[in-house]
Structures are given as C-alpha cells and as structure tokens.
Amino acid sequence: MSAPSIYQDLNYQDSNVYSVLEDVPRKQQQPSRNVPTLQEKEEEAKAVQKRTNRVAKDLEKKLRFWRIIAGSLSLLIIFIIILVVAIFFTQSPSCTYCPSNWIYHSGNCYFFSIDSLDWTASRDNCRRMDSQLAVIKNRDEETFIDLTGQGPTWIGLSKAQNGSWIWEDGTLLGDSFWQYGEPNNNGGMENCVEFFTVFYNSSGWNDSQCRLPKRSLCKRPAGVLSA
C-alpha cells in the first residue's frame, strides 16, 4: 500500500517542477511595466527639447534686456566723463587776474588813479597802461563804480563835434546814468563826463569842462593765467 503513495507523490512533485519551469519563460517574455517604450522615450525627449527651447528663449530675452541696460549705462558714464573733463579744462586750469593795484569785476580790471589830471591827460595815461578811460554800459558796472570810486572821476565819455556823446571805444552813448538835470552844458564848455557822487546819497554822470584836473578810472579786460 505504501508504494503507490510514494509514486504518486513523485509524480505530483515532478508535475509541479515542470509547471514552474514552464512559467519562467512566460514571465520573462512579459515586458516590465517600469521600462518605457520607444514611443514614450521619443515623446519624453520632445518634451525635454521644448522645455529647453523655452528656457533658452527666456534666457535670450533677459540677456537682451540687460545688454540694453548695460549699453545705456555705458553711454551715460561716457557722457558724464566727457562733461567732467570739459568742465575741468575750461574752468579749473585757468584763472583771471589783474595787475597790481587794479580791481577785478565781471571779467575786467579797473584802476582808480591817485593823481588828478585833465580829461585828455587822463585818457593818455590809461592808454599807456594798455587800457582806456572806462566805458560804462550797464547798471551792474555803474553800481560797482559807485561803491568803489572816490570823488569826481573822469570816465571815457566825451562830446563829439556834432554834439553826440561818444565812448572811448568809438560807440555812441546808449544807456545812460546821468544825475538829475544833467547834462546841462553849464557855460557852454562841458564836453567831458565825470562820475560824481553828491553828498554820498546821489551818484551818476555829470558833464564838466575837460581842462579841469580830476582823478580817472581806467578799464581793461582781465588776463588769463594757465595752471
């Protein structure tokens, strides 16, 4: 009775072994779910390429923007450098000057004489100093002379033969700063002009006789010293 039982057990075990061996190739033939197919790989590659292209385009836009900013800043810096250099070379390296005992004002030098001479001698004295009796053409200059002058002072204004008032530089009288009631040609011989202050509260021009000795005011352009 025991022999058939052993035989059956062996047959049963053999059948289990064969079934296991038959299942092995069948399992190996089935593709793994974790391994992508060729089509999936191609689609993934295309997706990656699209993302790469999009990132590249965004980067190119940003680089273009910053290149524009950098270019603008460079131009601004160059402009500032040129401006600073221009200011330096036009202003810093030079300065105006006047000879000793002359007074500087608004690009000109002025000399108030100590000696009193007639108008013609005063004119000639200014010419010897490379200047001329002062030509006064604006209120600023008039105020400057009023504040710095002392007493009656010849200026470069005289009467021509035709009766016109003419400056030493050859120009006709334009704006004038006569004292009240002047010129009055008192005595018919007042052909030269002096700067005159009355009681320290009224100043202006007065026609006077050219032969009278007075102090004078010479004027010349200020010189330039290069640094």
Side-chain angles (χ1 to χ4, degrees):
M1 296 295 294
S2 59
S5 177
I6 294 172
Y7 179 77
Q8 291 177 356
D9 292 338
L10 290 174
N11 288 336
Y12 175 75
Q13 293 177 359
D14 291 340
S15 64
N16 289 337
V17 172
Y18 289 136
S19 63
V20 171
L21 293 176
E22 290 177 356
D23 289 339
V24 171
R26 199 175 297 138
K27 292 180 178 180
Q28 291 179 349
Q29 293 175 359
Q30 294 179 356
S32 176
R33 295 181 180 178
N34 296 328
V35 179
T37 63
L38 180 60
Q39 183 178 0
E40 291 175 340
K41 290 181 178 180
E42 291 178 351
E43 292 177 354
E44 179 65 23
K46 291 179 180 180
V48 172
Q49 185 63 38
K50 288 181 179 180
R51 289 195 297 270
T52 303
N53 293 339
R54 186 166 55 251
V55 171
K57 289 181 180 180
D58 292 341
L59 181 60
E60 179 64 24
K61 289 180 181 179
K62 292 179 180 179
L63 289 175
R64 191 181 302 113
F65 171 77
W66 286 112
R67 279 197 292 267
I68 294 173
I69 295 297
S72 301
L73 289 176
S74 299
L75 292 176
L76 179 61
I77 292 172
I78 293 173
F79 173 77
I80 292 174
I81 292 174
I82 294 174
L83 181 62
V84 171
V85 171
I87 292 174
F88 176 80
F89 280 103
T90 55
Q91 295 184 2
S92 299
S94 62
C95 60
T96 56
Y97 76 96
C98 292
S100 178
N101 298 324
W102 292 63
I103 302 173
Y104 174 83
H105 177 74
S106 297
N108 294 294
C109 300
Y110 298 85
F111 177 77
F112 292 88
S113 71
I114 298 176
D115 299 332
S116 295
L117 303 171
D118 62 39
W119 190 91
T120 301
S122 296
R123 179 199 62 190
D124 295 341
N125 186 54
C126 288
R127 289 178 179 178
R128 284 192 293 270
M129 294 187 290
D130 295 325
S131 62
Q132 64 183 9
L133 280 174
V135 176
I136 305 170
K137 295 187 176 181
N138 58 67
R139 172 61 65 182
D140 174 71
E141 193 171 20
E142 174 76 8
T143 301
F144 162 75
I145 295 171
D146 183 26
L147 294 176
T148 54
Q150 297 178 4
T153 304
W154 287 126
I155 60 175
L157 185 62
S158 61
K159 187 184 295 183
Q161 292 182 353
N162 63 2
S164 300
W165 292 102
I166 186 169
W167 288 106
E168 268 296 280
D169 62 1
T171 58
L172 293 174
L173 176 63
D175 294 338
S176 60
F177 304 98
W178 297 103
Q179 288 186 2
Y180 179 76
E182 301 294 343
N184 59 7
N185 195 23
N186 187 19
M189 299 179 60
E190 295 185 335
N191 297 321
C192 295
V193 178
E194 63 177 346
F195 184 91
F196 194 69
T197 300
V198 180
F199 302 118
Y200 301 98
N201 59 8
S202 175
S203 62
W205 303 345
N206 172 56
D207 58 340
S208 180
Q209 297 183 29
C210 301
R211 63 179 180 82
L212 297 178
K214 303 176 188 294
R215 299 178 64 183
S216 60
L217 174 60
C218 301
K219 175 184 175 182
R220 60 182 287 181
V224 177
L225 282 176
S226 298

